Amino acid sequence: MPPGALQTTRKPTINDVASHAGVSKKTVSRVINGSPGLSAATQEKVEQAIVALGYVPNPQARALALGRNFAIVLLHDNPNAQTVQNFERGVLDAIRESELALMVRPVDRRSPAMLDDIAAFLQQQRPIGAIILPPISERDEIGELCRSMGVRFVRVGSAALDDDDHSVTSTDRIAVTEACRLLIATGHRRIGFVRGPQGFRSAAERELGFHAALEAAGLPVPPDYCAQGDYRFESGRSAGRLLLGLDPRPTAIFASNDEMAAGVMHAAFERNLQIPRDLSLVGFDDSPTATHVWPSLTTVRWPIRDMGVLAAEKLVGNFLPKRRFSSDFVHLPSELIERASIAPPPSET
């Protein structure tokens, strides 16, 4: 029993709380469910009554009253499992001290039935809200579907995808430009690029940052210095083999995520090239891969875990006992992390 709670012979009810606080049952329900529009004085009276009586809200009853389950769903179709796991950790950080649970729902973005599948899932599970990861977050019709069903939602991406109440974004383009400027400042003039998957906004933003840095420095970007990847290790190794087979080959390569950068590293080792003596390398994410490889990888830290926290707070902030970010916060900066994989280009080139 909480300190100061009154001794009773039965469990207190919501009616007892209403009577003790001198308000209606509906007002107590609104306080419990975090509904907006209540005065601070009314909320304090109800909260004091709850403590005094030792009242514990019934989760099933609250879910029935709301017409929703006390859960949020993470919708994703992302090829990088580490990204999804890191984002999940952020969401769980945010909701740890609440009554909320997290459901994770993979979907198939290539399926013509994707929207119908999401609609059926939301209808069946009745979550309080949905957090949508890229690349499916980039599809406006998913946001429109959530609006039409009365489901709260937040779309996560590398650029603004919706209004501020429904968006959490990072600054990929700016951070990649900064990373490539570092390569240029180190002396590199032949810089290769490994793209992310076609159709991903994150991949497009990172490529725009790469081109912005090289164009500002007056450096050419031959078409064959840009190789296609899909955010997976094997695609990075294949792209690395293509780029390192060129004559002249790049003296530095930026890969659009750490998994592909690790693949490029393997392609370099196959050619007996040492990093960073013969090839400088930069990745993106600052995933565990960046410090598990040798030499450790210079990379852009994608604030994916913090983005999970912010997305959860935007979605269900009124159900959380505390928040890390202000309610109007939208953008989280990506940050360049310098490690051991960059050096000046070989003198013989």
Side-chain angles (χ1 to χ4, degrees), residues 3 20 28 39 113 133 141 163 185 187 214-215 236 312 322-323:
H20 191 89
V28 176
S39 70
L133 280 181
E141 58 265 40
D163 60 65
L214 270 65
E215 289 171 8
K322 60 184 179 182
R323 300 178 61 129

Side-chain angles (χ1 to χ4, degrees), residues 260-273:
M260 295 193 299
V264 172
M265 190 174 283
H266 275 245
F269 294 157
E270 290 172 354
R271 290 179 168 267
N272 294 318
L273 299 175

Side-chain angles (χ1 to χ4, degrees), residues 97-218:
E97 297 180 19
S98 74
E99 298 173 290
L100 297 168
L102 173 65
M103 297 185 288
V104 179
R105 178 69 171 183
V107 301
D108 182 0
R109 69 184 183 278
R110 297 181 180 87
S111 169
M114 184 190 73
L115 288 177
D116 291 337
D117 292 342
I118 291 175
F121 178 82
L122 295 176
Q123 181 66 37
Q124 180 182 30
Q125 299 297 327
R126 298 181 298 116
I128 285 178
I131 300 174
I132 311 163
L133 280 181
I136 62 169
S137 61
E138 297 160 8
R139 295 181 58 169
D140 291 338
E141 58 265 40
I142 298 181
E144 293 165 3
L145 171 66
C146 291
R147 284 189 174 95
S148 70
M149 297 183 69
V151 176
R152 305 182 188 192
F153 69 93
V154 172
R155 299 164 66 185
V156 179
S158 298
L161 301 172
D162 214 301
D163 60 65
D164 287 355
D165 289 338
H166 297 92
S167 288
V168 169
T169 65
S170 56
T171 57
D172 295 15
R173 189 188 308 191
I174 295 170
V176 172
T177 298
E178 181 184 356
C180 293
R181 283 174 179 162
L182 174 62
L183 289 172
I184 294 166
T186 307
H188 294 277
R189 295 297 179 267
R190 300 198 305 273
I191 304 174
F193 182 76
V194 183
R195 297 185 177 99
Q198 293 179 343
F200 279 43
R201 182 66 179 269
S202 60
E205 288 292 312
R206 294 167 197 180
E207 185 164 6
L208 286 169
F210 169 78
H211 284 284
L214 270 65
E215 289 171 8

